[in-house]
Amino acid sequence: MPAEVIVCEGCCCGNVDKGHPEVPVNYLLDAWNEYDIAKHVELEISGCLGPCSKHNVSVLKIYDKEIWIGELNEESHYKAIVEWASKFSSIQGGDAIPKILQDHVFDPDEDY
């Protein structure tokens, strides 16, 4: 599969008891079905991915490239992920991520 979205729902991500916004897992699963994204972009809801200081982390895997995004605190961030995946799926390529997510990109080796 050319692309994958990995969404952390681990020890910190989505943990409202720790003060982090909930990860909208049901919204993501429903969107993947509604827009038929799974043909070209896999969705994985994962346990802890590691960079807990960035809470609410996701990874966009595109071919052999990984784009780590963190501090996804707003519904609009997850909508942007769905829009990106839907667009990627429909054109089967392209790796530009939405502007709203660009400020949330980080290097897990440097920021962990």
Side-chain angles (χ1 to χ4, degrees):
M1 188 156 306
E4 180 179 9
V5 174
I6 304 169
V7 178
C8 181
E9 188 185 38
C11 63
C12 294
C13 296
N15 189 330
V16 295
D17 292 337
K18 290 186 177 182
H20 305 302
E22 184 177 349
V23 175
V25 172
N26 288 333
Y27 163 75
L28 293 167
L29 293 171
D30 290 346
W32 247 251
N33 288 327
E34 181 180 344
Y35 300 114
D36 202 22
I37 297 171
K39 288 181 183 177
H40 301 286
V41 182
E42 183 179 345
L43 173 64
E44 179 182 344
I45 307 302
S46 173
C48 185
L49 293 173
C52 295
S53 65
K54 295 291 184 182
H55 61 83
N56 290 23
V57 171
S58 292
V59 181
L60 306 180
K61 285 187 170 185
I62 307 152
Y63 303 106
D64 62 347
K65 178 179 169 184
E66 290 184 354
I67 300 171
W68 287 72
I69 50 179
E71 299 177 344
L72 303 175
N73 300 325
E74 301 173 16
E75 183 179 317
S76 59
H77 295 143
Y78 292 98
K79 284 184 177 184
I81 290 173
V82 169
E83 289 170 12
W84 171 84
S86 180
K87 182 177 178 184
F88 185 95
S89 182
S90 69
I91 63 171
Q92 297 181 13
D95 60 1
I97 64 169
K99 184 169 177 50
I100 190 171
L101 299 176
Q102 290 174 4
D103 289 340
H104 296 268
V105 173
F106 70 95
D107 182 338
D109 295 326
E110 293 177 11
D111 294 326
Y112 185 52

